Amino acid sequence: MTTLWNRRSTVVMAALVGVTGCAGVGDAGASATARTRVSVPAAASPAPGSSTPAAPPTGPASSASATPSSVTPSSAPVSPAPGNGPTPSPSGPPPFSAKIDKVSRDDVRHSWRPGCPVPLSGLRKITMTYWGFDDQAHTGTLVVNKKVAEDVASVFGKLYDMRYPIRRMEPVDVYKGSDSDSIDADNTSAFNCRNATGSGSWSNHAYGLAVDLNPRENPYVYANGSNAHRNADAFVDRPLKKPGVINSGDRVVRAFEQIGWGWGGSWSGAKDYQHFSVNGR
């Protein structure tokens, strides 16, 4: 089943419920939550030469003050425009859009295998708009657990609205499942059936319940202050005011907090500044 999200509507999300640590999550993942969409009607313009003002809209004045109500989604999903990104509207960048699809075996040839803690049927790919470091809109793809796909799409819609820049967004299969190569490319990714860094237990990424965001600008920093990727040396210290950097309590952290996800930059000892997950680990 395909789900389409458009920023002309406001997505109201519920926080995920009751997910334990990486080694104990299993296929259950996070609890599914009910969601609604809110339509915001456009105000009518008065006819030329008329002295009668246009009638005010009958719906909410803005998405911030809207009361949630259920609506029927469009029956004809709109696929992202081909090329480097969506086609800009005459008035500026295109609105955010997200399309959620089932994952095939070919989609995850390198990142999934039999024995992984989540089956193929438990994964979804989100094809969505993101804002690039070049100040242009682009289309990227994340593979996540189906139970969090809508929540994750809602967060990236907020990041797009705030023009938070993302270098690239590709499934880790583009890098043949290599987390290290994906990080070196400064690639934002999610699902990868692998163990947690320095652990023999499954990572939250193996369940599709974690996202690594701009890993060059937000490196994994060991407790001694070192990091494994030389292209990230200039981004180790926090706070740091540079494009794409995530700092404690900033809008990026708060956007993930709104769906109940924790940030690796708040860990004691080692810091994983790129990492957001359903249980904070």
Side-chain angles (χ1 to χ4, degrees), residues 12 25 39 50 76 91 98 100 105 121 129 131 154 165 171 212-213 215 223 269 277:
V12 180
V25 177
S39 294
S50 171
S91 58
I100 299 172
R105 183 68 182 93
S121 61
T129 321
W131 194 251
S154 75
D212 285 344
L213 186 58
S277 67

Side-chain angles (χ1 to χ4, degrees), residues 4-6 9-10 35-39 68-74:
L4 173 68
W5 296 88
N6 195 293
S9 299
T10 301
R35 294 168 177 82
T36 58
R37 296 174 60 198
V38 181
S39 294
S69 61
S70 296
V71 297
T72 302
S74 167

Side-chain angles (χ1 to χ4, degrees), residues 69-164:
S69 61
S70 296
V71 297
T72 302
S74 167
S75 59
V78 180
S79 299
N84 291 330
T87 303
S89 66
S91 58
F96 175 83
S97 66
K99 184 171 176 251
I100 299 172
D101 294 304
K102 291 182 178 180
V103 170
S104 71
R105 183 68 182 93
D106 285 341
D107 289 327
V108 288
R109 286 187 303 157
H110 301 286
S111 61
W112 184 90
R113 60 190 179 277
C116 289
V118 60
L120 279 177
S121 61
L123 297 174
R124 293 292 183 269
K125 62 179 177 181
I126 313 172
T127 304
M128 59 185 162
T129 321
Y130 70 91
W131 194 251
F133 277 80
D134 58 357
D135 289 330
Q136 299 291 326
H138 299 270
T139 299
T141 302
L142 282 182
V143 177
V144 299
N145 193 296
K146 70 177 182 180
K147 298 179 186 299
V148 302
E150 293 181 354
D151 280 342
V152 171
S154 75
V155 170
F156 279 88
K158 292 174 183 176
L159 301 187
Y160 181 78
D161 283 350
M162 69 177 71
R163 299 297 186 256
Y164 172 79

Side-chain angles (χ1 to χ4, degrees), residues 86-277:
T87 303
S89 66
S91 58
F96 175 83
S97 66
K99 184 171 176 251
I100 299 172
D101 294 304
K102 291 182 178 180
V103 170
S104 71
R105 183 68 182 93
D106 285 341
D107 289 327
V108 288
R109 286 187 303 157
H110 301 286
S111 61
W112 184 90
R113 60 190 179 277
C116 289
V118 60
L120 279 177
S121 61
L123 297 174
R124 293 292 183 269
K125 62 179 177 181
I126 313 172
T127 304
M128 59 185 162
T129 321
Y130 70 91
W131 194 251
F133 277 80
D134 58 357
D135 289 330
Q136 299 291 326
H138 299 270
T139 299
T141 302
L142 282 182
V143 177
V144 299
N145 193 296
K146 70 177 182 180
K147 298 179 186 299
V148 302
E150 293 181 354
D151 280 342
V152 171
S154 75
V155 170
F156 279 88
K158 292 174 183 176
L159 301 187
Y160 181 78
D161 283 350
M162 69 177 71
R163 299 297 186 256
Y164 172 79
I166 294 173
R167 184 78 59 189
R168 56 174 46 87
M169 185 190 296
E170 301 171 322
V172 75
D173 274 70
V174 172
Y175 306 91
K176 297 185 177 180
S178 170
D179 182 56
S180 179
D181 289 349
S182 180
I183 290 173
D184 279 341
D186 202 14
N187 179 52
T188 293
S189 65
F191 172 75
N192 192 6
C193 186
R194 62 175 178 81
N195 289 339
T197 301
S199 169
S201 301
W202 290 119
S203 164
N204 271 313
H205 290 283
Y207 299 93
L209 298 174
V211 171
D212 285 344
L213 186 58
N214 285 345
R216 174 176 176 256
E217 288 77 17
N218 303 290
Y220 184 101
V221 180
Y222 296 99
N224 64 4
S226 65
N227 76 92
H229 298 268
R230 297 282 67 82
N231 66 351
D233 287 347
F235 299 92
V236 168
D237 295 329
R238 291 296 187 279
L240 181 64
K241 290 188 177 182
K242 289 185 177 181
V245 168
I246 304 167
N247 290 291
S248 179
D250 69 8
R251 293 185 299 173
V252 178
V253 174
R254 294 198 303 271
F256 278 96
E257 285 176 346
Q258 287 173 4
I259 64 167
W261 284 35
W263 179 47
S266 64
W267 297 351
S268 59
K271 306 284 187 183
D272 198 354
Y273 293 117
Q274 66 200 256
H275 182 83
F276 292 92
S277 67

